[in-house]
Amino acid sequence: MRSILVSSNCIASPFRQLKGVIEMNHLRALLLYSAALLATNSCAADVKVISWNVAASPYEKVLARAPDYKKMADTLSPDVIVLIELTGRPDIKAIADAIDWQTYYATVSDGQVQGDEIHAGLEVGVLSKLPITSVIEFDPKPEGHVHQVFTNAKPDGDSSIPVKEAPLKGIDMMGLAATDRGTLRVDLANGLTVFPVHLKSNSNDACFAADDAIKDLKKLGLTPVPALQAVLDNGSDVKAKADKDNAFKRERVIAATKTVADLAVAEGRTVLIAGDWNTSFEPGKFGQSFDDCQLAAFSCAKAPFPASACSGDGYDDTFTILTVPLAGSQKWTMLTKDLGRTFDEMEFADKAIDHMAVPDAAAQAFAAPKVGPDTFGSDHFPILTVWAAP
């Protein structure tokens, strides 16, 4: 009789029944049962994927947080970790060493120089138990660097898995900004492709300047001029323009990312875009088309977003670029649309700014995302989903 191999991931009871069938040496029954077993998809290999902004910090602080990374891995048991706000290769290496997986594969973007200011920690990376088979770094301005995927077997890099570099096309419509960020295409051996993203923040210089000026005047024993407090309380046209500019920077990067992600979908890959998107599904903020509202000035207060400041369609179309779609060919699902707060502070009310998106056709294979129980020393909670890989 022809032998049949049964995956160790299969559930136990069908295996016992199959063993009984084999012992009966009844070929017809065996074939019928084997067909039924395959139809149940009971041998699917679940893959837990986590996306986590670890919080930018100097390398010394990254090393000091080793217990945080170990606790996160022990608590959530991920198979693949999308890491955001790294400052370079040493960061992800330190995290991998702290987690202490028996086998790991890791890659990180290299747009910043180790040792830069904390706010320059804009790198993204992927740490995986599953083999990484190829990586492309899509950079707004490729530097021509040469590096490889590394593992605990080859911590200096595996020359058989070079990280290819390519321009992230489509984000230079208005000229490259210093804050424009790229992504990685990370192909895993099981058919999953991950695109980690870190989109433009909502940092607003008008609010920072007014707040700093008030504090400085108070230090000198002077009374702040009312106009400064008015900026904090009511906002300003300058602030509203900055808010829209930040949204535009998010939109053009996610549109460019979607273009290359759509190509991966067309190749038959299962594709996930994940990371810190720095925007939320707050009513009035997210739009359904490029016909943005005329954003009115609103307070520098952190949350919630005043929907009345944007009458009509929202001003941030980051999500609908994927879901409508407003760009590219594939229609995507935001898995995290109904997810609660993922940022430790209340800047976005109780809405997530860390997100995961997959093509509509693959959405049913991913479990509804959850927020981790702790920040593990970061200012973001990790989020997680499980992919039922066929």
Side-chain angles (χ1 to χ4, degrees):
M1 179 184 293
R2 187 177 300 169
S3 63
I4 294 179
L5 298 178
V6 181
S7 166
S8 60
N9 290 329
C10 296
I11 57 176
S13 57
F15 177 75
R16 285 194 296 268
Q17 295 173 31
L18 180 58
K19 182 181 178 183
V21 173
I22 293 173
E23 289 173 348
M24 288 191 302
N25 196 24
H26 196 304
L27 180 59
R28 181 173 179 275
L30 174 59
L31 293 174
L32 288 173
Y33 186 79
S34 298
L37 179 61
L38 291 172
T40 65
N41 197 32
S42 62
C43 295
D46 288 350
V47 178
K48 184 180 288 186
V49 183
I50 284 178
S51 177
W52 185 33
N53 182 321
V54 297
S57 59
Y59 182 51
E60 291 77 11
K61 190 172 180 180
V62 170
L63 292 176
R65 289 178 56 199
D68 291 331
Y69 313 131
K70 186 68 167 67
K71 182 179 179 184
M72 183 280 296
D74 290 347
T75 301
L76 301 179
S77 301
D79 299 302
V80 179
I81 310 174
V82 177
L83 292 164
I84 309 299
E85 243 175 51
L86 303 169
T87 61
R89 185 186 181 97
D91 283 14
I92 198 170
K93 178 68 165 56
I95 294 169
D97 289 344
I99 290 175
D100 195 27
W101 283 341
Q102 184 175 0
T103 302
Y104 74 75
Y105 302 80
T107 187
V108 63
S109 59
D110 70 341
Q112 302 292 330
V113 178
Q114 185 70 38
D116 275 358
E117 297 290 334
I118 292 176
H119 68 265
L122 305 178
E123 305 299 348
V124 295
V126 172
L127 177 62
S128 174
K129 288 181 179 178
L130 305 169
I132 293 175
T133 56
S134 68
V135 180
I136 301 174
E137 179 180 14
F138 291 100
D139 201 317
K141 189 176 181 180
E143 301 92 350
H145 297 168
V146 178
H147 56 294
Q148 298 100 23
V149 170
F150 62 97
T151 72
N152 40 0
K154 296 184 177 180
D156 294 326
D158 186 341
S159 59
S160 69
I161 319 175
V163 176
K164 303 171 186 176
E165 197 174 31
L168 185 61
K169 297 179 180 179
I171 71 169
D172 54 354
M173 295 178 289
M174 303 289 288
L176 288 175
T179 49
D180 280 332
R181 305 161 190 184
T183 184
L184 298 171
R185 171 179 168 163
V186 182
D187 290 350
L188 303 179
N190 67 343
L192 181 66
T193 292
V194 180
F195 287 86
V197 294
H198 188 190
L199 303 184
K200 179 66 178 70
S201 72
N202 284 279
S203 297
N204 195 294
D205 290 342
C207 293
F208 291 148
D211 188 48
D212 289 344
I214 290 173
K215 291 176 180 177
D216 289 341
L217 287 170
K218 288 181 177 179
K219 287 179 182 178
L220 296 171
L222 301 174
T223 301
V225 295
L228 290 173
Q229 190 62 46
V231 171
L232 295 182
D233 294 341
N234 306 314
S236 67
D237 291 339
V238 173
K239 175 188 178 300
K241 181 181 183 305
D243 288 325
K244 291 198 73 171
D245 287 347
N246 287 335
F248 175 68
K249 290 173 183 177
R250 288 190 290 271
E251 291 169 2
R252 67 182 186 173
V253 170
I254 203 63
T257 300
K258 183 182 187 296
T259 299
V260 290
D262 281 353
L263 293 175
V265 176
E267 293 171 13
R269 307 285 301 182
T270 297
V271 184
L272 173 73
I273 303 175
D276 179 1
W277 299 49
N278 271 312
T279 191
S280 61
F281 280 98
E282 292 179 84
K285 178 184 288 186
F286 68 96
Q288 299 297 321
S289 74
F290 286 136
D291 298 324
D292 294 346
C293 69
Q294 184 63 42
L295 186 62
F298 62 96
S299 168
C300 290
K302 291 188 174 182
F305 172 74
S308 60
C310 189
S311 57
D313 192 55
Y315 71 94
D316 190 336
D317 303 309
T318 301
F319 302 130
T320 51
I321 283 171
L322 288 104
T323 59
V324 170
L326 297 181
S329 57
Q330 296 287 337
K331 192 172 183 179
W332 291 60
T333 294
M334 295 300 305
L335 296 175
T336 45
K337 182 176 181 180
D338 299 319
L339 203 61
R341 181 166 57 99
T342 62
F343 188 47
D344 197 28
E345 297 183 21
M346 289 297 292
E347 188 171 339
F348 300 88
D350 282 328
K351 301 292 186 178
I353 64 170
D354 299 271
H355 295 285
M356 293 177 168
V358 297
D360 277 8
Q364 293 300 315
F366 287 84
K370 296 180 180 179
V371 180
D374 192 357
T375 61
F376 303 100
S378 176
D379 54 357
H380 287 247
F381 294 87
I383 61 173
L384 57 119
T385 186
V386 176
W387 175 45

